[in-house]
Amino acid sequence: MTKYADLLRIIDSLRLEAPLNYVRYHPKIEEVEKLENARGRSFIHLYLKVTFGLIEFNERENYITDDGYDGGIDAYFVDQENKKLFFIQSKFRNSDLNFENKDITCEELLSMDIHRIVEGEEEGEDGIKYNGKIQNLIKHLQSISDLPKYRYEIILLANVKPSLQLKINKLAGGYPVDIYNFQRIYSELVFPLVSGSYYNISELKITINVDRNSAGHRIQYYPVTKYSECTVNALFVPTVEIAKILSKYKNSILKFNPRSYLDLSSGSINEKISKSITDFNTNEFALFNNGITMLSDDTVYSDKVGKKNKAEVLVTNPQIINGGQTAYTLSILYDRFLKNDTLHLFENKEVLLKIISFNIDENDSKSFEENKLKLIEQISIATNQQSPVFEADRRANDKVQIDLQKLIYQDFGLFYERKRGEFGDGIRSGYIDRSKIIDREHFVRICLASQNNPVQARAGSVAKFFNKPTFDSILPDTSGYRKYIFCLKAFERIIHIHSDSSNVRFNARHSITSVISNRFDNSFEIKDYDDLIDAHLRDIIGNWSNFEDYARQTPDNQKYYFKERFDKETGERFIETNWTAYYKGRTLLNDLKQYFTF
């Protein structure tokens, strides 16, 4: 199960979103060439969905021009808000080996007729007319009154050798080229889609429409903290604005929240929030709800928007850090009411929104980022009162957790779930299998086992594991992540190795993991992990009965012998051992070290 296999599942899922009358997306399985072409086109759908948030198939398809006489342009996107025009060229490879290792060749690079197309030329230099999609692109550009203000950028979805860079720049007509090689495709397209954070752009801007009278009573102040000076705007905004934001952006706007979009679905508070919208025609919601705290890089308020009695708040890179339960419930109601055409239930109902903008010192951005994260954690702890936030949730945004998640996905294609329900969208959409998710509590137990602490790994309290001092001692950094995954895979393989044998009891799994952890070497190639694990497990498990005999004969373990038994067939007398207690006991680790010599 490689990252490429996940990519293929995603592409096929996007391909099958096409209505049946789009026959090119629905070839028969034996029509290999047509299937490859359909996947190549759906690959562009992936980029458009994740980068620009184009959720609907038809919405994305409108921007795809890939066909004969397309002027070297496979797709495009017009970003009106940021005044940018993207031209996309893509080369999809139909095997994992080729996708990760095969570079695009000079012959595969197509010269893009960007100059001709933006100047309104309807045919190429050979006199042949561009296809219908390119004609639509030309009409689209002609409808943009301020097109000269737009910046052009080429997006290349392909692996490129450094030596080809000059060739690409020449073929791109001097426009900047952003290359997505296989690593970027996995980390910036696949991972965000699976985690529900579709919007993978450097600067996300949202506009909140507000009633001018409410905005007129907004509070703006400038608190100075020990980390940074901040600007805080507090005002009441329509509940429907918050509902639309979270419905659209989901986990993309919850990066600093201790809980994920799906995890926010738990808790009885949702019903109370819901009723304060559905059971009242007046604005009790503004009184009943504690409000929402949002972080931003910049916040601009304006009542000069050409709309009567309206104002707008433009928020750059917004993140909801508190009030996620409220925002989640509003988004669910919005989705439901939108389908039933009953959005009027949101009318005249507002919620308090507090927007915190950090004043960045550009000369000390690294220090600022560290301090910003510390302040965010403190704000989260201080303000999260509407629903319980467990210690494991509070650790979700620790730097070591974020780094672990990236490294584990990068090297192993596995999804470490630092927030509960973080990959719910990916599982529900069929993009990945649940077996690829690593539960954070299970992972910490594996870490303890690999650190020669099998007793705590098996019987320790999860609540204590995620208490900050304890958690920091278990995972001070990411240096052991490859060993942890080796041990995790070993733990999962134990049941298969001894499936035909009764010589290993369930209680011993963490102990076996501790033993095999001492055979790990950082020089192991990741591709060899499975074979190495199986070889070591066969040796360890093959000796496990002998190990338990050794433990029985150790004087310090006599307290675990507690019942006299007789074998029904032979009549032989024996003393039953309390293995459950033994594998939680203080003598276990020393016995393991003595017998397996580590």
Side-chain angles (χ1 to χ4, degrees), residues 537-548:
L537 282 180
R538 288 191 185 96
D539 176 56
I540 294 167
I541 291 172
N543 280 287
W544 207 257
S545 291
N546 295 332
F547 164 71
E548 289 190 339

Side-chain angles (χ1 to χ4, degrees), residues 57 68 144 177 249 279 308 317 341 355 393 480 517 537 563:
F57 173 86
I144 301 174
V177 180
Y249 295 105
D279 293 0
K308 187 176 181 180
N317 290 333
D341 197 25
I355 308 172
D393 296 327
S517 75
L537 282 180
K563 285 184 181 178

Side-chain angles (χ1 to χ4, degrees), residues 364-577:
D364 195 18
S365 58
K366 182 178 179 181
S367 173
F368 171 82
E369 274 302 315
E370 293 174 357
N371 291 335
K372 176 181 172 182
L373 290 174
K374 291 177 184 177
L375 185 56
I376 287 169
E377 181 180 7
Q378 291 178 3
I379 295 171
S380 177
I381 293 171
T383 61
N384 238 308
Q385 302 297 326
Q386 276 193 297
S387 59
V389 176
F390 301 105
E391 280 302 310
D393 296 327
R394 297 197 193 284
R395 302 282 76 76
N397 287 317
D398 284 11
K399 186 177 184 301
V400 67
Q401 294 262 65
I402 295 170
D403 292 344
L404 268 174
Q405 188 180 68
K406 290 178 180 176
L407 289 168
I408 289 171
Y409 177 70
Q410 174 185 295
D411 284 4
F412 299 95
L414 298 173
F415 298 87
Y416 174 59
E417 190 178 54
R418 56 188 178 87
K419 296 184 183 183
R420 288 179 297 176
E422 185 175 10
F423 303 106
D425 270 359
I427 293 172
R428 187 168 53 249
S429 300
Y431 297 150
I432 58 168
D433 185 82
R434 190 176 293 276
S435 63
K436 301 199 75 173
I437 307 296
I438 300 176
D439 177 78
R440 60 189 179 184
E441 296 173 7
H442 177 50
F443 184 76
V444 170
R445 291 189 185 279
I446 293 297
C447 292
L448 284 165
S450 70
Q451 294 163 3
N452 289 332
N453 199 341
V455 174
Q456 274 291 94
R458 179 174 175 270
S461 163
V462 169
K464 290 182 180 178
F465 291 163
F466 287 93
N467 179 273
K468 186 162 179 56
T470 304
F471 184 78
D472 288 347
S473 69
I474 297 171
L475 276 171
D477 53 48
T478 62
S479 59
Y481 79 97
R482 292 185 65 183
K483 180 180 182 180
Y484 301 149
I485 297 300
F486 182 87
C487 292
L488 178 74
K489 285 174 171 283
F491 184 90
E492 292 170 349
R493 290 290 301 157
I494 290 170
I495 191 68
H496 300 288
I497 295 296
H498 78 89
S499 58
D500 297 327
S501 171
S502 60
N503 67 336
V504 174
R505 55 197 90 248
F506 182 81
N507 294 330
R509 291 177 74 185
H510 290 96
S511 299
I512 294 170
T513 304
S514 284
V515 174
I516 199 172
S517 75
N518 288 278
R519 302 186 180 187
F520 174 79
D521 192 311
N522 256 323
S523 65
F524 288 168
E525 293 284 343
I526 291 174
K527 63 182 177 62
D528 297 331
Y529 274 23
D530 289 347
D531 290 340
L532 288 166
I533 287 168
D534 284 358
H536 285 297
L537 282 180
R538 288 191 185 96
D539 176 56
I540 294 167
I541 291 172
N543 280 287
W544 207 257
S545 291
N546 295 332
F547 164 71
E548 289 190 339
D549 287 342
Y550 165 81
R552 282 194 195 95
Q553 296 166 18
T554 303
D556 288 346
N557 293 328
Q558 288 185 357
K559 61 183 176 181
Y560 300 117
Y561 311 151
F562 70 111
K563 285 184 181 178
E564 184 179 54
R565 299 287 190 186
F566 291 90
D567 188 292
K568 291 181 180 180
E569 294 184 3
T570 65
E572 184 179 349
R573 173 182 171 277
F574 66 94
I575 303 297
E576 186 173 339
T577 305

Side-chain angles (χ1 to χ4, degrees), residues 8 52 70 99 103 135 139 152 155 170 178 180 185 230 246 268 276 367 390 418 471 485 555:
L8 212 56
F52 303 114
D70 58 18
F99 185 78
D103 297 312
Q135 301 297 336
K139 290 177 183 177
Y152 301 161
I155 303 297
K170 183 178 179 181
D178 193 9
Y180 280 73
I185 288 163
C230 305
L246 203 69
S268 59
S276 60
S367 173
F390 301 105
R418 56 188 178 87
F471 184 78
I485 297 300

Side-chain angles (χ1 to χ4, degrees), residues 163-431:
S163 59
L164 269 183
Q165 188 67 53
L166 291 176
K167 179 76 171 177
I168 290 173
N169 290 336
K170 183 178 179 181
L171 290 172
Y175 297 116
V177 180
D178 193 9
I179 299 170
Y180 280 73
N181 60 12
F182 77 92
Q183 292 103 330
R184 286 191 68 188
I185 288 163
Y186 288 142
S187 64
E188 297 180 30
L189 298 183
V190 172
F191 190 91
L193 183 63
V194 172
S195 62
S197 50
Y198 299 159
Y199 297 85
N200 194 33
I201 55 179
S202 59
E203 186 174 69
L204 174 65
K205 292 184 179 180
I206 63 171
T207 301
I208 303 173
N209 295 300
V210 298
D211 182 84
R212 186 181 293 178
N213 293 328
S214 296
H217 298 293
R218 71 189 176 106
I219 299 172
Q220 188 175 55
Y221 57 109
Y222 307 92
V224 177
T225 73
K226 67 178 181 179
Y227 300 119
S228 166
E229 181 181 302
C230 305
T231 300
V232 178
N233 285 273
L235 69 163
F236 282 91
V237 302
T239 52
V240 72
E241 293 290 324
I242 299 298
K244 286 190 292 186
I245 290 169
L246 203 69
S247 174
K248 183 175 183 178
Y249 295 105
K250 293 184 171 67
N251 284 335
S252 290
I253 205 167
L254 293 170
K255 290 178 182 176
F256 293 129
N257 198 287
R259 301 171 71 178
S260 70
Y261 182 80
L262 186 65
D263 186 42
L264 289 167
S265 63
S266 63
S268 59
I269 190 70
N270 291 326
E271 184 179 352
K272 297 177 183 178
I273 296 172
S274 176
K275 285 186 175 181
S276 60
I277 289 287
T278 60
D279 293 0
F280 295 91
N281 293 323
T282 44
N283 196 16
E284 277 80 359
F285 189 90
L287 303 179
F288 294 170
N289 194 271
N290 290 337
I292 292 167
T293 301
M294 180 182 285
L295 306 178
S296 79
D297 288 344
D298 188 38
T299 304
V300 178
Y301 164 80
S302 175
D303 56 10
K304 305 291 192 297
V305 295
K307 302 174 186 176
K308 187 176 181 180
N309 296 324
K310 291 293 180 182
E312 290 182 352
V313 182
L314 181 63
V315 187
T316 302
N317 290 333
Q319 290 292 321
I320 293 175
I321 190 175
N322 178 253
Q325 281 276 347
T326 297
Y328 171 82
T329 306
L330 291 174
S331 74
I332 294 299
L333 292 175
Y334 175 79
D335 292 340
R336 187 186 308 159
F337 293 162
L338 188 63
K339 292 177 182 177
N340 299 330
D341 197 25
T342 53
L343 286 180
H344 65 272
L345 287 169
F346 282 104
E347 289 178 3
N348 303 317
K349 291 162 190 173
E350 297 175 318
V351 63
L352 177 62
L353 177 65
K354 181 169 65 176
I355 308 172
I356 302 173
S357 302
F358 297 98
N359 300 334
I360 301 175
D361 181 355
E362 295 181 357
N363 296 321
D364 195 18
S365 58
K366 182 178 179 181
S367 173
F368 171 82
E369 274 302 315
E370 293 174 357
N371 291 335
K372 176 181 172 182
L373 290 174
K374 291 177 184 177
L375 185 56
I376 287 169
E377 181 180 7
Q378 291 178 3
I379 295 171
S380 177
I381 293 171
T383 61
N384 238 308
Q385 302 297 326
Q386 276 193 297
S387 59
V389 176
F390 301 105
E391 280 302 310
D393 296 327
R394 297 197 193 284
R395 302 282 76 76
N397 287 317
D398 284 11
K399 186 177 184 301
V400 67
Q401 294 262 65
I402 295 170
D403 292 344
L404 268 174
Q405 188 180 68
K406 290 178 180 176
L407 289 168
I408 289 171
Y409 177 70
Q410 174 185 295
D411 284 4
F412 299 95
L414 298 173
F415 298 87
Y416 174 59
E417 190 178 54
R418 56 188 178 87
K419 296 184 183 183
R420 288 179 297 176
E422 185 175 10
F423 303 106
D425 270 359
I427 293 172
R428 187 168 53 249
S429 300
Y431 297 150

Side-chain angles (χ1 to χ4, degrees), residues 12-79:
D12 279 339
S13 179
L14 295 174
R15 176 175 64 82
L16 295 175
E17 288 180 16
L20 292 177
N21 60 308
Y22 285 78
V23 293
R24 69 165 67 195
Y25 286 97
H26 299 280
K28 295 177 181 178
I29 197 68
E30 62 270 15
E31 296 177 311
V32 177
E33 186 176 347
K34 289 183 178 180
L35 181 59
E36 289 179 356
N37 290 336
R39 284 174 169 169
R41 199 173 174 95
S42 300
F43 183 49
I44 305 171
H45 274 262
L46 171 62
Y47 174 79
L48 292 173
K49 180 169 184 173
V50 172
T51 306
F52 303 114
L54 304 179
I55 306 300
E56 301 299 328
F57 173 86
N58 286 330
E59 191 180 17
R60 299 189 298 267
E61 182 67 13
N62 287 336
Y63 291 107
I64 295 183
T65 57
D66 183 27
D67 220 332
Y69 306 106
D70 58 18
I73 298 171
D74 293 334
Y76 71 98
F77 184 76
V78 180
D79 183 350

